[in-house]
Amino acid sequence: MARFLAITGGVGGAKLALGLAQILGPDELVFAVNTGDDFEHLGLHIAPDVDTLTYTLAGVSNTDTGWGRQDETWNFMDALERLGGETWFQLGDRDLALHVTRTQMLTAGQSLTQVTAQICATLGVTHPVFPMSDDPVRTTVHTESGPLAFQHYFVRDRCEPAVRGFEFVGIEQARLNPAITRYLEGPERVDGIIICPSNPFVSVDPLLNLPGAHAALQSAGVPVVAVSPIVGGVAIKGPTAKMMQELAIPNSAAEVARHYGALLSGLVLDEQDRGLDGTLDTPTTVANTVMITLQDRVDLGHTVLRYIASLA
Ligand code: FO1
Protein backbone atom coordinates (compact mmCIF):
# COMPACT_ATOMS: atom_id res chain seq x y z
CA MET A 1 0.00 0.00 0.00
CA ALA A 2 1.49 3.35 -1.06
CA ARG A 3 1.83 6.00 1.61
CA PHE A 4 2.40 9.72 1.38
CA LEU A 5 3.47 12.67 3.50
CA ALA A 6 1.91 16.04 2.64
CA ILE A 7 3.55 19.24 3.89
CA THR A 8 1.11 22.09 4.22
CA GLY A 9 0.56 25.59 5.51
CA GLY A 10 -2.84 27.21 5.80
CA VAL A 11 -5.75 27.89 3.48
CA GLY A 12 -4.19 27.13 0.04
CA GLY A 13 -2.46 23.95 1.18
CA ALA A 14 -5.53 22.67 3.03
CA LYS A 15 -7.50 22.61 -0.24
CA LEU A 16 -5.19 20.02 -1.79
CA ALA A 17 -4.91 18.27 1.57
CA LEU A 18 -8.67 17.72 1.51
CA GLY A 19 -8.50 16.39 -2.06
CA LEU A 20 -5.77 13.92 -1.08
CA ALA A 21 -7.72 12.87 2.02
CA GLN A 22 -10.69 11.98 -0.22
CA ILE A 23 -8.48 9.58 -2.17
CA LEU A 24 -6.16 8.12 0.47
CA GLY A 25 -7.09 6.55 3.78
CA PRO A 26 -5.66 7.46 7.20
CA ASP A 27 -3.05 4.72 6.90
CA GLU A 28 -1.94 6.05 3.50
CA LEU A 29 -1.62 9.79 4.13
CA VAL A 30 -0.10 11.88 6.93
CA PHE A 31 0.22 15.64 7.22
CA ALA A 32 3.12 17.80 8.43
CA VAL A 33 1.89 21.29 9.22
CA ASN A 34 3.60 24.65 9.57
CA THR A 35 3.64 26.09 13.10
CA GLY A 36 5.71 29.20 12.29
CA ASP A 37 2.41 31.14 12.22
CA ASP A 38 1.58 30.09 15.79
CA PHE A 39 1.45 32.80 18.39
CA GLU A 40 0.34 33.57 21.92
CA HIS A 41 -2.64 35.91 21.86
CA LEU A 42 -4.99 36.93 24.71
CA GLY A 43 -3.18 34.35 26.83
CA LEU A 44 -3.98 31.56 24.34
CA HIS A 45 -1.84 29.40 22.09
CA ILE A 46 -3.20 29.87 18.56
CA ALA A 47 -2.03 27.43 15.85
CA PRO A 48 -3.73 28.82 12.71
CA ASP A 49 -2.36 26.41 10.08
CA VAL A 50 -2.94 23.31 12.22
CA ASP A 51 -6.49 24.50 12.88
CA THR A 52 -7.20 25.38 9.25
CA LEU A 53 -6.21 21.87 8.21
CA THR A 54 -8.08 20.24 11.10
CA TYR A 55 -11.31 22.15 10.44
CA THR A 56 -11.01 21.49 6.69
CA LEU A 57 -10.52 17.73 7.13
CA ALA A 58 -13.33 17.67 9.71
CA GLY A 59 -15.68 19.39 7.23
CA VAL A 60 -16.38 22.26 9.63
CA SER A 61 -14.24 25.02 8.10
CA ASN A 62 -15.56 28.40 7.10
CA THR A 63 -15.48 28.05 3.33
CA ASP A 64 -15.76 31.82 2.76
CA THR A 65 -12.61 32.77 4.68
CA GLY A 66 -10.79 29.41 4.53
CA TRP A 67 -9.86 29.82 8.22
CA GLY A 68 -12.00 29.50 11.33
CA ARG A 69 -15.23 27.52 11.69
CA GLN A 70 -18.48 27.48 9.82
CA ASP A 71 -21.66 28.55 11.66
CA GLU A 72 -19.57 30.70 13.97
CA THR A 73 -20.93 33.21 16.49
CA TRP A 74 -18.97 36.26 17.69
CA ASN A 75 -20.24 37.04 21.20
CA PHE A 76 -16.75 36.84 22.69
CA MET A 77 -15.33 39.32 20.14
CA ASP A 78 -18.24 41.72 20.68
CA ALA A 79 -17.81 41.61 24.45
CA LEU A 80 -14.04 41.98 24.11
CA GLU A 81 -14.48 45.05 21.92
CA ARG A 82 -16.79 46.66 24.49
CA LEU A 83 -14.13 46.04 27.13
CA GLY A 84 -11.53 47.78 24.93
CA GLY A 85 -9.64 44.55 24.21
CA GLU A 86 -7.58 43.65 21.14
CA THR A 87 -9.94 42.70 18.30
CA TRP A 88 -7.71 42.71 15.22
CA PHE A 89 -7.49 38.89 15.31
CA GLN A 90 -10.97 37.44 14.95
CA LEU A 91 -11.71 34.53 17.28
CA GLY A 92 -15.19 33.08 16.93
CA ASP A 93 -16.88 31.52 19.96
CA ARG A 94 -16.51 27.92 18.80
CA ASP A 95 -12.96 28.50 17.60
CA LEU A 96 -12.16 30.12 20.94
CA ALA A 97 -13.16 26.95 22.76
CA LEU A 98 -10.51 25.07 20.81
CA HIS A 99 -7.78 27.59 21.69
CA VAL A 100 -8.74 27.50 25.37
CA THR A 101 -8.66 23.68 25.34
CA ARG A 102 -5.31 23.57 23.57
CA THR A 103 -3.78 26.13 25.92
CA GLN A 104 -5.01 24.24 28.98
CA MET A 105 -3.59 20.97 27.70
CA LEU A 106 -0.23 22.56 26.82
CA THR A 107 -0.08 24.20 30.24
CA ALA A 108 -0.77 20.80 31.80
CA GLY A 109 2.38 19.53 30.08
CA GLN A 110 1.08 17.84 26.92
CA SER A 111 2.93 18.38 23.66
CA LEU A 112 1.40 20.16 20.67
CA THR A 113 1.45 16.80 18.87
CA GLN A 114 -0.59 15.16 21.65
CA VAL A 115 -3.00 18.07 21.85
CA THR A 116 -3.48 18.11 18.06
CA ALA A 117 -4.12 14.35 18.02
CA GLN A 118 -6.78 14.70 20.70
CA ILE A 119 -8.50 17.65 19.00
CA CYS A 120 -8.45 15.79 15.66
CA ALA A 121 -9.97 12.72 17.28
CA THR A 122 -12.70 14.81 18.89
CA LEU A 123 -13.56 16.44 15.56
CA GLY A 124 -13.53 13.09 13.73
CA VAL A 125 -10.35 13.71 11.73
CA THR A 126 -8.81 10.30 11.09
CA HIS A 127 -5.73 11.21 9.02
CA PRO A 128 -2.69 11.84 11.23
CA VAL A 129 -1.96 15.58 11.53
CA PHE A 130 1.46 16.46 12.93
CA PRO A 131 2.67 19.95 13.82
CA MET A 132 6.09 20.34 12.15
CA SER A 133 7.68 20.63 15.61
CA ASP A 134 6.72 20.54 19.27
CA ASP A 135 9.26 23.29 19.90
CA PRO A 136 8.31 26.94 19.45
CA VAL A 137 9.29 28.45 16.09
CA ARG A 138 7.94 31.93 15.44
CA THR A 139 8.12 33.52 12.01
CA THR A 140 9.21 37.16 12.06
CA VAL A 141 8.69 39.18 8.90
CA HIS A 142 11.35 41.83 8.39
CA THR A 143 9.65 44.75 6.70
CA GLU A 144 10.37 48.32 5.68
CA SER A 145 8.72 49.33 8.98
CA GLY A 146 10.86 46.96 11.04
CA PRO A 147 10.40 43.39 12.29
CA LEU A 148 6.83 42.14 12.72
CA ALA A 149 5.55 38.94 14.33
CA PHE A 150 3.89 36.95 11.55
CA GLN A 151 0.24 37.51 12.55
CA HIS A 152 0.88 41.22 13.10
CA TYR A 153 2.24 41.40 9.56
CA PHE A 154 -0.41 39.13 8.04
CA VAL A 155 -3.65 39.96 9.81
CA ARG A 156 -3.21 43.20 11.76
CA ASP A 157 -1.22 45.02 9.05
CA ARG A 158 -2.91 43.14 6.14
CA CYS A 159 0.49 42.29 4.54
CA GLU A 160 0.88 45.98 3.65
CA PRO A 161 4.47 46.68 4.82
CA ALA A 162 7.02 45.77 2.12
CA VAL A 163 8.90 42.61 3.02
CA ARG A 164 12.69 42.57 3.34
CA GLY A 165 13.21 39.01 4.64
CA PHE A 166 12.11 36.34 7.09
CA GLU A 167 13.44 34.91 10.32
CA PHE A 168 12.24 31.78 12.08
CA VAL A 169 12.93 32.62 15.71
CA GLY A 170 13.77 29.56 17.81
CA ILE A 171 14.49 27.33 14.82
CA GLU A 172 18.06 26.48 15.85
CA GLN A 173 16.76 24.92 19.08
CA ALA A 174 13.74 23.26 17.48
CA ARG A 175 13.65 19.78 16.02
CA LEU A 176 11.53 18.22 13.34
CA ASN A 177 8.66 16.37 15.00
CA PRO A 178 9.94 12.79 15.55
CA ALA A 179 6.48 11.57 14.50
CA ILE A 180 7.26 13.03 11.05
CA THR A 181 10.86 11.76 10.95
CA ARG A 182 9.46 8.25 11.41
CA TYR A 183 7.83 8.53 7.97
CA LEU A 184 11.11 9.50 6.28
CA GLU A 185 13.22 6.50 7.20
CA GLY A 186 13.00 2.81 8.04
CA PRO A 187 10.00 0.51 7.62
CA GLU A 188 7.39 3.29 7.92
CA ARG A 189 8.99 5.39 5.19
CA VAL A 190 6.45 6.94 2.80
CA ASP A 191 6.47 6.44 -0.98
CA GLY A 192 6.22 10.11 -1.86
CA ILE A 193 6.24 13.60 -0.38
CA ILE A 194 3.84 16.32 -1.50
CA ILE A 195 4.45 20.01 -0.89
CA CYS A 196 0.99 21.54 -1.03
CA PRO A 197 0.44 24.90 -2.77
CA SER A 198 1.34 26.94 0.30
CA ASN A 199 3.55 30.01 0.54
CA PRO A 200 7.14 28.70 0.07
CA PHE A 201 8.68 31.47 2.20
CA VAL A 202 6.47 31.52 5.29
CA SER A 203 4.44 28.28 5.19
CA VAL A 204 6.90 25.66 3.92
CA ASP A 205 10.34 27.12 4.69
CA PRO A 206 9.86 26.97 8.49
CA LEU A 207 9.65 23.16 8.25
CA LEU A 208 12.44 22.88 5.67
CA ASN A 209 14.70 25.04 7.84
CA LEU A 210 14.30 22.93 10.98
CA PRO A 211 17.74 21.45 11.73
CA GLY A 212 18.21 18.32 9.64
CA ALA A 213 14.74 18.48 8.02
CA HIS A 214 15.85 19.27 4.47
CA ALA A 215 18.44 16.49 4.59
CA ALA A 216 15.93 14.04 6.09
CA LEU A 217 13.43 14.76 3.30
CA GLN A 218 16.11 14.32 0.64
CA SER A 219 17.61 11.19 2.11
CA ALA A 220 14.16 9.57 2.24
CA GLY A 221 14.96 8.89 -1.42
CA VAL A 222 11.33 9.16 -2.57
CA PRO A 223 9.81 11.60 -5.09
CA VAL A 224 9.14 15.07 -3.70
CA VAL A 225 6.49 16.90 -5.72
CA ALA A 226 5.32 20.48 -5.12
CA VAL A 227 2.24 22.18 -6.52
CA SER A 228 3.04 25.75 -7.45
CA PRO A 229 1.13 28.33 -5.40
CA ILE A 230 1.96 30.86 -8.13
CA VAL A 231 -0.35 30.71 -11.14
CA GLY A 232 0.16 33.07 -14.07
CA GLY A 233 2.37 35.26 -11.89
CA VAL A 234 -0.17 35.71 -9.10
CA ALA A 235 -0.83 33.88 -5.88
CA ILE A 236 -4.16 32.08 -5.73
CA LYS A 237 -4.32 32.91 -2.02
CA GLY A 238 -2.30 35.22 0.17
CA PRO A 239 0.70 37.47 -0.30
CA THR A 240 3.21 35.12 -2.01
CA ALA A 241 3.44 37.09 -5.28
CA LYS A 242 3.58 40.44 -3.44
CA MET A 243 6.38 39.11 -1.23
CA MET A 244 8.32 37.91 -4.29
CA GLN A 245 8.07 41.33 -5.92
CA GLU A 246 9.25 43.05 -2.75
CA LEU A 247 12.15 40.60 -2.45
CA ALA A 248 13.05 41.31 -6.11
CA ILE A 249 12.33 37.70 -7.07
CA PRO A 250 10.39 37.27 -10.35
CA ASN A 251 6.85 36.26 -9.33
CA SER A 252 6.79 33.17 -11.52
CA ALA A 253 6.20 29.47 -10.92
CA ALA A 254 9.75 29.02 -12.27
CA GLU A 255 11.01 30.72 -9.12
CA VAL A 256 9.03 28.30 -6.95
CA ALA A 257 11.01 25.47 -8.59
CA ARG A 258 14.25 27.40 -8.14
CA HIS A 259 13.39 28.11 -4.49
CA TYR A 260 12.94 24.41 -3.61
CA GLY A 261 15.95 23.51 -5.77
CA ALA A 262 17.36 19.98 -5.63
CA LEU A 263 14.76 18.90 -3.05
CA LEU A 264 12.11 18.74 -5.80
CA SER A 265 11.67 15.74 -8.07
CA GLY A 266 8.89 17.57 -9.90
CA LEU A 267 6.66 20.64 -9.90
CA VAL A 268 2.99 20.74 -10.88
CA LEU A 269 2.32 23.86 -12.93
CA ASP A 270 -1.08 25.32 -13.63
CA GLU A 271 -2.54 25.24 -17.17
CA GLN A 272 -1.90 29.00 -17.29
CA ASP A 273 1.83 28.32 -16.95
CA ARG A 274 1.92 25.63 -19.63
CA GLY A 275 4.55 27.72 -21.44
CA LEU A 276 7.03 26.89 -18.65
CA ASP A 277 6.53 23.13 -18.99
CA GLY A 278 9.78 21.46 -19.98
CA THR A 279 11.78 24.71 -19.78
CA LEU A 280 12.92 24.43 -16.13
CA ASP A 281 15.79 22.51 -14.54
CA THR A 282 13.09 20.77 -12.45
CA PRO A 283 10.79 18.27 -14.23
CA THR A 284 7.24 19.62 -14.52
CA THR A 285 3.73 18.53 -15.34
CA VAL A 286 0.64 20.62 -16.04
CA ALA A 287 -2.78 20.46 -14.37
CA ASN A 288 -5.65 22.65 -13.25
CA THR A 289 -4.32 23.76 -9.85
CA VAL A 290 -6.98 26.42 -9.20
CA MET A 291 -9.20 24.49 -6.82
CA ILE A 292 -12.72 25.87 -6.64
CA THR A 293 -14.88 22.79 -6.18
CA LEU A 294 -14.25 19.67 -4.11
CA GLN A 295 -13.91 17.77 -7.40
CA ASP A 296 -11.06 20.16 -8.42
CA ARG A 297 -9.24 19.19 -5.21
CA VAL A 298 -9.76 15.48 -5.79
CA ASP A 299 -8.70 15.77 -9.46
CA LEU A 300 -5.51 17.60 -8.49
CA GLY A 301 -4.85 14.99 -5.79
CA HIS A 302 -5.09 12.22 -8.42
CA THR A 303 -2.77 14.15 -10.76
CA VAL A 304 -0.17 14.61 -8.01
CA LEU A 305 -0.29 10.92 -7.06
CA ARG A 306 0.00 9.80 -10.70
CA TYR A 307 2.92 12.20 -11.17
CA ILE A 308 4.70 10.79 -8.10
CA ALA A 309 4.18 7.26 -9.43
CA SER A 310 5.68 8.29 -12.77
CA LEU A 311 8.75 9.75 -11.03
CA ALA A 312 9.31 6.84 -8.66
N1 FO1 B 1 -6.90 35.58 9.19
C1 FO1 B 1 -7.32 36.84 8.94
O1 FO1 B 1 -7.05 37.37 7.88
N2 FO1 B 1 -8.00 37.55 9.93
C2 FO1 B 1 -8.31 37.01 11.12
O2 FO1 B 1 -8.91 37.68 11.95
C3 FO1 B 1 -7.92 35.64 11.36
C4 FO1 B 1 -8.27 34.99 12.54
C5 FO1 B 1 -7.94 33.64 12.71
C6 FO1 B 1 -8.33 32.95 13.84
C7 FO1 B 1 -8.00 31.63 14.02
C8 FO1 B 1 -7.27 30.96 13.04
O3 FO1 B 1 -6.94 29.66 13.21
C9 FO1 B 1 -6.87 31.63 11.89
C10 FO1 B 1 -7.19 32.96 11.71
N3 FO1 B 1 -6.82 33.67 10.56
C11 FO1 B 1 -7.21 34.96 10.35
C12 FO1 B 1 -6.06 33.01 9.50
C13 FO1 B 1 -4.57 32.94 9.74
O4 FO1 B 1 -4.04 33.84 10.62
C14 FO1 B 1 -3.75 32.97 8.45
O5 FO1 B 1 -4.49 32.55 7.33
C15 FO1 B 1 -2.59 32.03 8.52
O6 FO1 B 1 -1.77 32.23 9.61
C16 FO1 B 1 -1.76 32.04 7.23
O7 FO1 B 1 -1.62 30.73 6.89
Side-chain angles (χ1 to χ4, degrees):
M1 183 193 315
R3 292 156 75 248
F4 300 89
L5 170 74
I7 298 171
T8 178
V11 179
K15 289 186 175 184
L16 177 58
L18 181 61
L20 290 166
Q22 302 283 308
I23 304 167
L24 300 166
D27 46 358
E28 298 170 307
L29 176 66
V30 297
F31 295 103
V33 191
N34 174 45
T35 56
D37 294 11
D38 289 19
F39 73 134
E40 281 66 37
H41 184 58
L42 306 175
L44 302 170
H45 182 112
I46 319 276
D49 287 357
V50 172
D51 292 348
T52 295
L53 179 65
T54 306
Y55 289 151
T56 301
L57 294 177
V60 299
S61 67
N62 178 330
T63 48
D64 293 332
T65 57
W67 52 266
R69 289 192 63 147
Q70 67 188 15
D71 303 324
E72 195 50 285
T73 53
W74 300 94
N75 297 305
F76 167 71
M77 279 327 271
D78 291 347
L80 186 65
E81 186 165 26
R82 267 182 235 116
L83 288 165
E86 271 186 77
T87 55
W88 58 269
F89 197 79
Q90 294 286 303
L91 294 173
D93 299 332
R94 289 181 170 81
D95 189 31
L96 178 67
L98 185 149
H99 306 305
V100 170
T101 304
R102 173 192 292 120
T103 306
Q104 266 186 329
M105 292 170 77
L106 290 171
T107 308
Q110 299 207 51
S111 68
L112 190 59
T113 301
Q114 291 170 321
V115 175
T116 303
Q118 184 158 327
I119 290 170
C120 281
T122 309
L123 289 175
V125 173
T126 49
H127 291 84
V129 173
F130 298 118
M132 66 177 198
S133 178
D134 278 327
D135 307 310
V137 176
R138 298 290 176 264
T139 299
T140 294
V141 184
H142 290 281
T143 73
E144 59 186 0
S145 355
L148 290 169
F150 182 79
Q151 297 298 339
H152 287 90
Y153 162 78
F154 192 91
V155 176
R156 191 195 63 190
D157 297 350
R158 297 179 300 278
C159 308
E160 280 165 7
V163 166
R164 299 279 175 260
F166 308 100
E167 189 181 344
F168 307 123
V169 177
I171 199 141
E172 293 86 0
Q173 293 76 42
R175 67 171 184 155
L176 179 64
N177 191 334
I180 298 170
T181 313
R182 212 176 64 214
Y183 291 98
L184 300 176
E185 55 195 32
E188 289 195 66
R189 196 182 61 157
V190 292
D191 301 290
I193 298 164
I194 300 147
I195 303 181
C196 291
S198 295
N199 185 313
F201 308 101
V202 293
S203 298
V204 181
D205 272 3
L207 186 152
L208 298 184
N209 281 278
L210 285 163
H214 197 279
L217 290 164
Q218 261 187 326
S219 58
V222 298
V224 180
V225 163
V227 176
S228 175
I230 296 287
V231 171
V234 298
I236 292 302
K237 186 83 197 158
T240 312
K242 178 177 180 284
M243 284 175 172
M244 290 170 95
Q245 280 168 351
E246 290 162 358
L247 294 168
I249 300 170
N251 46 313
S252 152
E255 285 301 316
V256 175
R258 205 194 54 74
H259 182 80
Y260 290 131
L263 178 65
L264 277 197
S265 316
L267 179 72
V268 182
L269 297 166
D270 187 72
E271 303 279 4
Q272 295 178 46
D273 292 313
R274 187 174 279 284
L276 293 173
D277 191 26
T279 70
L280 311 180
D281 291 339
T282 309
T284 48
T285 192
V286 178
N288 170 34
T289 68
V290 184
M291 294 167 279
I292 297 163
T293 64
L294 177 61
Q295 193 57 47
D296 292 338
R297 297 165 202 214
V298 175
D299 290 346
L300 184 57
H302 279 298
T303 302
V304 169
L305 296 174
R306 271 197 307 269
Y307 190 40
I308 289 178
S310 76
L311 294 167

